[in-house]
């Protein structure tokens, strides 16, 4: 099996953490990010042959700087997995503050765009790579208490 370089946005929890662990066990190099410094430190200790950084993908400048750092090391992803996402509190839509709604949209939609803008040019220059944007079943339907999340996942559905 050919070892791959796999970038996972949202590598510290849930599905992202499970993929991080699984890909590392298969011998792949994982380039992962998350917002939790303590979880990033744990991943760095567990998987020293991979590379983990604290990056909020909602911040385009931070994502670009992360990409530049990885490129300077020769790390261009074979797979870019946009997994990072926020879920809103399960309450009626009108109870979600503008700030909470904006933060969710910034991570779940703009974060996907930020990682693609930062990494796709290098992948294209390499003439290789696959981008996977995770959505949700709620991207095709809705639930009255998670309208912001459903809206954001609809934005990454296709």
């Amino acid at each position: 099996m050919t070892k791959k370089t796999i970038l996972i946005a949202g590598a510290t929890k849930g599905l992202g953490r499970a993929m991080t662990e699984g890909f590392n066990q298969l011998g792949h190099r994982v380039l992962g990010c998350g917002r939790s410094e303590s979880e990033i430190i744990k991943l760095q200790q567990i998987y020293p042959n991979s590379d983990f950084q604290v990056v909020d993908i909602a911040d385009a400048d931070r994502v670009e700087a992360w990409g530049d750092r990885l490129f300077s090391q020769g790390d261009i992803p074979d797979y870019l997995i946009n997994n990072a996402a926020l879920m809103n509190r399960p309450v009626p839509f009108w109870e979600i503050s503008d700030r909470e709604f904006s933060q969710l949209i910034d991570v779940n939609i703009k974060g996907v765009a930020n990682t693609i803008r930062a990494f796709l040019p290098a992948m294209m220059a390499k003439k290789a790579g696959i981008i996977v944007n995770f959505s949700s079943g709620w991207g095709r339907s809705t639930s009255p208490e998670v309208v912001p999340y459903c809206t954001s996942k609809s934005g990454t559905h296709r």
Side-chain angles (χ1 to χ4, degrees), residues 34-93:
R35 296 183 311 156
S36 169
E37 184 174 1
S38 63
E39 291 303 315
I40 290 295
I41 290 168
K42 286 179 191 175
L43 288 171
Q44 290 168 339
Q45 292 169 345
I46 297 168
Y47 305 111
N49 294 325
S50 286
D51 190 299
F52 301 96
Q53 292 295 307
V54 176
V55 179
D56 180 349
I57 64 167
D59 184 334
D61 292 336
R62 291 285 312 272
V63 175
E64 186 175 338
W66 179 42
D68 290 345
R69 184 183 150 282
L70 292 172
F71 302 150
S72 73
Q73 298 173 177
D75 284 324
I76 297 171
D78 296 300
Y79 293 92
L80 165 56
I81 301 176
N82 277 309
N83 168 71
L86 296 178
M87 171 69 103
N88 61 276
R89 296 174 295 119
V91 297
F93 179 65

Side-chain angles (χ1 to χ4, degrees), residues 94-152:
W94 58 89
E95 292 182 20
I96 300 291
S97 71
D98 179 60
R99 182 174 181 272
E100 184 177 356
F101 183 80
S102 291
Q103 184 181 31
L104 184 142
I105 294 299
D106 286 352
V107 170
N108 296 8
I109 296 178
K110 291 165 132 182
V112 170
N114 291 341
T115 58
I116 291 171
R117 278 194 302 268
F119 291 96
L120 181 59
M123 295 166 75
M124 289 173 58
K126 183 179 166 182
K127 297 187 185 308
I130 295 172
I131 297 172
V132 179
N133 298 323
F134 280 23
S135 183
S136 167
W138 275 339
R140 295 182 305 276
S141 65
T142 191
S143 177
E145 293 191 335
V146 287
V147 170
Y149 180 78
C150 296
T151 300
S152 72

Side-chain angles (χ1 to χ4, degrees), residues 23-24 36:
F23 289 137
N24 269 288
S36 169

